[in-house]
Amino acid sequence: MTTAEETVEYAAEHAPRLEWAKHAPEVYKAMIRLDAAARRGLDPKLGELVKIRASQLNHCAFCLDMHTKDALAAGESVERIVQLGAWEESRHFYTEKELAAIELTEAVTVLTGGTSQASGSGGGFVPDEVYARAAEHFEEAELAQLIAAITVINAWNRFGVTCRMAPGHYRPGQHA
């Protein structure tokens, strides 16, 4: 029988494989500048939703930890963050503009899964329909920023996953 005083034994935290930012500081600094430039002109809550969705798809636990905390600090609701993993079944939680951004995030993040070339719609692996929906909701300059933000979080995810960066230690705004 367990008592309230007993503690739960969690799995051990893994150590990072490599502290890449320490060993490639110029690359890290360039990524920070690129990230800041990509965020300009985007709604902060929308930017966090995009970062969370890409990080879910890429299985980047470090970035999920960071961007969920930043989203909450920016005023995003727990409910919308939780539903993001099943956004297609939870469309009513998001605006049409947010849905277009989330769909574009998926298309840009999972480039190898596209079927647009096989179906003859052109446009590479980002389907024309997905791009067109995003273009309906974003002015060209804002759409360019959104694509940049999606691209940057995918790069961060690759550093995080490859180097096995450990989640759980980030504080909101720590890397802002």
Side-chain angles (χ1 to χ4, degrees), residues 14-24 60 62 155-167:
H14 67 266
R17 284 182 178 155
L18 176 71
E19 293 181 47
W20 77 270
K22 176 181 167 185
H23 298 289
C60 185
F62 182 85
W156 283 120
N157 289 165
R158 278 137 181 84
F159 284 118
V161 170
T162 303
C163 297
R164 293 186 71 208
M165 295 172 68

Side-chain angles (χ1 to χ4, degrees), residues 2 41 48 74 94 118 161:
T2 59
E48 294 303 331
Y94 309 99
V161 170

Side-chain angles (χ1 to χ4, degrees), residues 27 36 44 78 114:
V27 175
V78 170

Side-chain angles (χ1 to χ4, degrees), residues 9-147:
E9 186 72 28
Y10 291 101
E13 181 177 311
H14 67 266
R17 284 182 178 155
L18 176 71
E19 293 181 47
W20 77 270
K22 176 181 167 185
H23 298 289
E26 293 306 314
V27 175
Y28 178 75
K29 290 175 195 171
M31 283 294 297
I32 293 291
R33 289 190 306 274
L34 182 61
D35 189 74
R39 281 196 313 262
R40 279 191 210 116
L42 282 182
D43 172 75
K45 289 201 295 191
L46 176 66
E48 294 303 331
L49 288 175
V50 162
K51 290 175 183 180
I52 293 166
R53 187 62 191 135
S55 299
Q56 288 172 335
L57 293 166
N58 289 322
H59 304 278
C60 185
F62 182 85
C63 291
L64 279 169
D65 177 55
M66 175 187 293
H67 296 297
T68 358
K69 290 174 179 175
D70 283 346
L72 290 168
E76 187 53 81
S77 73
V78 170
E79 188 173 50
R80 283 170 32 106
I81 293 169
V82 169
Q83 292 301 318
L84 195 54
W87 68 270
E88 291 174 300
E89 292 80 27
S90 306
R91 296 177 69 84
H92 61 285
F93 285 90
Y94 309 99
T95 67
E96 290 300 320
K97 184 175 184 174
E98 290 168 334
L99 290 168
I102 293 165
E103 189 176 22
L104 184 62
T105 299
E106 288 196 2
V108 172
T109 300
V110 188
L111 288 173
T112 59
T115 58
S116 62
Q117 287 181 337
S119 66
S121 63
F125 290 98
V126 175
D128 289 341
E129 313 80 57
V130 172
Y131 185 87
R133 267 192 291 285
E136 288 175 21
H137 295 282
F138 294 87
E139 297 293 326
E140 285 186 344
E142 189 180 18
L143 182 56
Q145 291 299 124
L146 176 61
I147 293 167

